[in-house]
Amino acid sequence: MSTAVLYNDQGGAEAGVEAGQENTPTSSNSGAAFGLFSADFKKNEDLKEMLESNKESLKLEAMKRVVGLIAKGKNASELFPAVVKNVASKNIELKKLVYVYLVRYAEEQQDLALLSISTFQRALKDPNQFIRASALRVLSSIRVPIIVPIMMLAIKESAADLSPYVRKTSAHAIQKLYSLDPDQKEQLIEVIEKLLKDKSTLVAGSVVMAFEEVCPDRIDLIHKNYRKLCNLLVDVEEWGQVVIISMLTRYARTQFTSPWKDGAMFDENNEKAFYDSDSEEKKDETEAKPYIMDPDHRLLLRNTKPLLQSRNTAVVMSVAQLYWHLAPKHEVSIVTKSLVRLLRSHREVQYIVLQNIATMSIQRKGMFEPYMKSFYVRSTDATHIKTLKLEILTNLANEANISTILREFQTYVKSQDKAFAAATIQAIGRCATNISEVTDTCLNGLVLLLSNRDETVVAESVVVIKKLLQTQPTQHSEIIKHMAKLFDNITVPMARASILWLMGEYCERVPKIAPDVLRKMAKTFTAEEDIVKLQTVNLAAKLYLTNSKQTKLLTQYILNLGKYDQSYDIRDRTRFIRQLIVPNEKSGALNKYARRILLAPKPAPVLQSAFKDRDRYQLGTLSHSLNTKASGYQELSDWPEVAPDQSVRNVEVIEPIKEWAPIVGKAKKTKSDEKFYSDDEEEKEEEGSESSGSDDSSSSSSSSEESGSESEEESSEESEKTSSDSGQSSSGSEKSSSESDSEQKKKKKTKKAPQKKSKPTAADSDSDENGNGPVAQASSSSAESSSGSESDSEDDSNSDSVTPQKKKSDAKSKPKVEVKSKKEVSLLDLDDFSPAPTNAPKSSVISSSLLSDLEGLSLSNVSSTMQLTTPSFCPVKTYELLHHMTGKGLSAKYHFPRQPCLYQPSMVSVQVILTNGSDHCLEEIHIGDRSPGSLSIHCFNTIERLEQEASVTVSMGIDFSDSTQAANFQLCTKENQFSVSIQPAVGELLMPSSLNEQDFCKEQGKLLGMNETSATITMATANSSSQAINKHVLSVANVGVVSSSHNNFHRFAGRTVSSSALVLVSLELKESSTALLTINTDKSVMASMLLRDLKQALAQA
């Protein structure tokens, strides 16, 4: 408070002095000193008065103008005392603007900023996440060593904040604190380690950036988070994607073996390798083993592949360099199309992309040959773009396409851009040396260019011809004579010097012309450039040795001229040559070797690409672009000979407890007092699952052989890896089963339960045993199926799945399963649950007919923290999971029943209808491997037998972690396994929440700024009624309707299933069928996707 009083006193004094004075513009460059002082004194006076007024609106307007001044680059530092007074304002908008100002000037006005530190510390506890984040940002911008402990404390607190935005800001602050005080490194590493475990996509990019800045060598921190980062990559913001991909590229080069080893063949016949590997190793350890890619290596390549479609050029370039440095050579070509697409972008982007393509095209011409026309030069291209395209075309030249390229070059030589024309001639020279078939053609073309009017073209032609003649000097004395005739007309020093060098080097082949050229040079020697004079002295020396009769006097004359030249280089050269060629008493032994020294055969110059040696730098880096090591550049390490232990990346999945978990949990607690299986049986089952895992993996390799070659290689590599890791799965499952043990003990203490509901929890412990081991994370399906599902995610997100109430009530009277076998029917009857050893399909637990039974459970109690409501309109949308042709008679469809998942509150409930359309019974239908590995799926129990033409409905729970990324898994029968994926629409990741209008507006006020996404939409005329709007919104998203007092306002509320983040949808109807659609949530990615789906639904008639 004392601070505020002090500033008020100052402000009052200044206001008193300046009372009534207008802020009149005065000339800042006025000569009079008084004029200068008065102008400075009056400057921004009206802003000061506004900032010191009692009206919030005036202060807000003043701050907007101040921030506008900063944006224009004007200095507003003198307003610091007036601005900092408002740091404790209650108005959130004003407070944000004050923080923006303070971030800019806190470093300059440290003393005044330090006085407000207590305010910032209070603001770190503010209920508004943006205020907390802004306070931390200002605090970390005050670069005074004395407040380092305060900053450290603030960063640690913010790293544990509930808001991902604040945690993201704390990751940014880590870098600032580290640059201020590097001694804090150890404490900061602890915070980084904590933030790396964060599951929010908002935090991931920022914390990896902090990791790269503070401790890039601590890759042990990445091990446990590697798979999570790979899986989150698609949903991270673009800047974060670039940082993470760069870090993962370096990580992969230290953890996986090289896929490029000489003689390393990709093991396509997986079965043989699987069975015979041990005996082969014993026989001959030195024999080359087939290369098997680490599943984590494959995971990285597969999860980055969809980003090649990113609109951000930096992301595409990052993925391209990752594939270049990490992918097997036959897979690198998938980046080609994306890189060529970037050439339609701005010239700055083109420049960087072309530089990288130039480096790539030297090593792998085949990658870019199909797109050769994309590198043809356009008249609108800048010179530096043209020369890079020329470089690439030259790299791509081979016997097949050289005629096309040379025709293109002929046009370029006529260009008005002289630098580009010269570069083209150099390119022709390179083609001539690289492809011997066209050397003569190129030489003849270059000789014709010697008669060109443009001296730049002629000069470059001479230089290139000189280099070409060195490769085949015997055949080309005519060309040398032709050049001698043109000598008088050529004025460019480099070209003249080149002709003189040629005359001297091959003087014996043109014995009549060379002395005459020397005579002409003696006349103009003093007026020539240094480079020409040096070559004249060389020519004189060579002619003196070969033809001294004609040239002795000329040589002496030129040496005398050179002796007194202004350039010391020429004076030195002249003295040296005189001693070397003219014999006298002082000349010594060198004179004997003069001829061998001066007329020694020279090796032909190798015309190389300027990008030949750039591959030593990582593609896409500043060092690569500059071709010199930039500060902060971290070199890629070489591949390890032996891969480090991959088990360090295995993580035990422990789901976080959500807000309302204890309440929904009561339903679970009532179900189980005892374990379904004894410990002995559990151990046996673990062994069984272990062996079946290896059987599955070997059979998957054989079935995958029918698909394309790429998926064949990938699936075989991964399945072998999975089978070799099956030992780890059992240990992982033991851990998880022991966890379920301890959970059940806790449940016993808290609540006693009726025996008849023990079955579902037995199913739970089952799935824990079979599901969440490390192998579930490491294993993955073929790359093609997963990438296909990822690319289809946008299309699928438009379609949604829900269950109508009508069907819910009707279903109570109908049987749950349309099945002919009695076994499933009896298992699905909740009242008759008995501890039998057969595995019941978990579907039964949440099939639609059981909803009435489930209402008796404690789900209704959830309302204490988050009231769930049933949507009033729920059309069922069923999606195909497995076609009966693909599934060899087994077909599967799924839909989202929009009911709370009983297995775990953070899971989305999914119902799957399995139908046997084959001519025989199907046995042991179950879920096998899943990907991504970190995905938590509650599987249905194994269906022991499904008769012909029978169908059964089973239920699953999937924790999508508030992401629309597909859940990929294998649906297995006794004989076969099929890769399938469930793609959630964004609206299915929500649960309805009941709010009244007042609470809705209050919550909406907390989610403004970056948490607000809005768009003006044009609605179909049929959708203007309240009933139609509710119908369309609920068809897209599982949200609750909020009653509104205004007819033109429609509000809906929901929470995300996984993280319980609030999602508020409001629709304000305007005139002429337009409406403002606003979504408020801190899940910005979900907001934009939901906005798109709602916009599409409301626009349809």
Side-chain angles (χ1 to χ4, degrees), residues 825-860:
V825 177
S826 63
L827 284 172
L828 289 171
D829 193 342
L830 262 180
D831 295 330
D832 297 340
F833 267 127
S834 56
T838 53
N839 289 334
K842 292 180 190 166
S843 62
S844 35
V845 183
I846 350 177
S847 63
S848 55
S849 62
L850 297 177
L851 295 172
S852 57
D853 298 329
L854 296 176
E855 280 168 8
L857 301 176
S858 58
L859 283 171
S860 57

Side-chain angles (χ1 to χ4, degrees), residues 526-677:
T526 52
E528 297 290 347
E529 291 288 328
D530 285 0
I531 190 169
V532 182
K533 288 178 180 176
L534 288 171
Q535 290 305 330
T536 306
V537 171
N538 283 354
L539 175 61
K542 288 172 183 176
L543 285 174
Y544 182 87
L545 292 172
T546 57
N547 188 0
S548 58
K549 284 181 185 177
Q550 279 185 290
T551 57
K552 187 174 183 179
L553 291 171
L554 265 176
T555 303
Q556 286 179 350
Y557 174 69
I558 286 169
L559 290 177
N560 285 332
L561 286 175
K563 187 177 178 181
Y564 302 105
D565 196 87
Q566 289 182 340
S567 167
Y568 56 79
D569 278 340
I570 292 160
R571 294 199 299 272
D572 287 353
R573 175 71 62 88
T574 306
R575 291 192 187 101
F576 165 69
I577 293 289
R578 189 189 292 275
Q579 293 298 319
L580 186 63
I581 64 172
V582 182
N584 56 30
E585 303 83 30
K586 297 178 182 177
S587 60
L590 265 182
N591 187 249
K592 298 173 193 173
Y593 304 107
R595 193 179 183 88
R596 284 170 66 183
I597 290 170
L598 288 172
L599 296 173
K602 286 32 169 221
V606 181
L607 294 174
Q608 281 188 336
S609 165
F611 289 80
K612 185 77 175 170
D613 59 340
R614 288 204 188 191
D615 58 353
R616 65 181 187 272
Y617 297 115
Q618 187 177 342
L619 288 187
T621 59
L622 179 62
S623 299
H624 175 269
S625 186
L626 299 175
N627 199 20
T628 184
K629 191 171 180 178
S631 62
Y633 173 73
Q634 292 173 339
E635 291 189 7
L636 279 181
S637 59
D638 293 328
W639 296 99
E641 285 299 316
V642 180
D645 180 18
Q646 63 172 357
S647 63
V648 293
R649 290 185 291 279
N650 291 340
V651 183
E652 190 64 40
V653 178
I654 301 167
E655 290 300 319
I657 296 169
K658 305 289 186 265
E659 279 179 37
W660 49 297
I663 299 156
V664 175
K666 287 176 189 173
K668 263 191 183 176
K669 287 171 191 172
T670 58
K671 290 181 189 174
S672 173
D673 260 354
E674 295 176 0
K675 283 209 153 188
F676 191 77
Y677 295 115

Side-chain angles (χ1 to χ4, degrees), residues 511-522 543 550-551 554:
K512 293 178 181 176
I513 295 173
D516 194 51
V517 171
L518 184 64
R519 178 183 61 77
K520 288 178 183 175
M521 285 309 303
L543 285 174
Q550 279 185 290
T551 57
L554 265 176

Side-chain angles (χ1 to χ4, degrees), residues 454-468:
D454 182 19
E455 60 182 35
T456 316
V457 173
V458 175
E460 205 60 49
S461 302
V462 170
V463 175
V464 173
I465 288 171
K466 172 204 145 189
K467 290 176 180 175
L468 290 178

Side-chain angles (χ1 to χ4, degrees), residues 797-826:
S797 64
N798 294 334
S799 52
D800 310 292
S801 23
V802 272
T803 310
Q805 272 189 321
K806 288 179 184 177
K807 291 206 174 187
K808 181 177 118 180
S809 57
D810 294 347
K812 291 179 186 176
S813 59
K814 293 180 183 177
K816 300 120 200 146
V817 186
E818 299 158 19
V819 138
K820 292 177 183 175
S821 67
K822 294 177 183 177
K823 185 186 278 187
E824 268 80 41
V825 177
S826 63

